[in-house]
Amino acid sequence: MNASNAPHGWSEQEDIALMSAWCFISINAVVGTNRTSVNLWENILDQYEKTRKENPTMGEQKSLESLRQRYRRLNTNVSKWIGAYKHAHDRAMSGQSNEDMEKAAQQIYGKSKFTHHKVFESVMRHNPKWKLKLNSTGSSRFQPDDDSLEESQIKLRLRLKGKDKEVATPSCTVPNDFTAALREMRVTRERECDIQEQKIKAASDIQERNIKAAILTPLIARRDLTPEEEDVKRDIIAELFGK
């Protein structure tokens, strides 16, 4: 998407530069908890400008207020899209492709088309604020466990007996080995979900370490650190390498 087609003259490249700057500055503890929102956005503007100067195709300079307004729009639209995609994923039937789920998510999202796929995929989804957490399965079909299946068989036997007492009705019991197999399948599914959660947590931990390492590298290279930056450097080193 070029600048002329982007809402309010923002291109995909500018959106990515803005949200990259926001993620870097907001995670970077150098801004400090005692800084104001204006200080935060001044740092974001500085970071954005560094990127813009290195990429002449990004266009003209943006004002601080322009960055804040664009961030609010992206935050609102992407958060809405995440909610729509989760809903579409949770009610998706088995065999549906990602393309099918995206179409369903767009219908849930609303009449206006979601146009921020690039910045979401490239930057925002890697930040915990916009992390897309999906259930292990998108199917909403009911899958009976051994208890519910056995209960349905009991109801079936009673219904058959009530129709005609003179007609012999075959026994409809659930074999013990079949019940055990169902129970084992349920345990296996639970284990698979636990393993998937562990994998997601491990990936998140690695990403967090990479972010901290990216913050630490320029701090180590510089010699003119402020006392606050020295504290941040020391804290990150302790977290990454131990005290």
Side-chain angles (χ1 to χ4, degrees), residues 134-150:
L134 300 175
N135 296 329
S136 58
T137 173
S139 175
S140 59
R141 289 179 176 176
F142 172 69
Q143 297 179 346
D145 57 20
D146 50 290
D147 296 330
S148 60
L149 182 58
E150 187 172 3

Side-chain angles (χ1 to χ4, degrees), residues 14 25 36 38 41 44 65 116 129 138 143 173 176 196-197 202 204 209 224:
E14 289 170 330
I25 297 300
T36 65
V38 174
W41 279 100
I44 293 173
E65 185 57 30
H116 310 306
K129 182 178 177 68
Q143 297 179 346
T173 58
N176 290 333
Q196 185 64 23
E197 289 179 0
S204 178
R209 288 180 65 87
D224 58 339

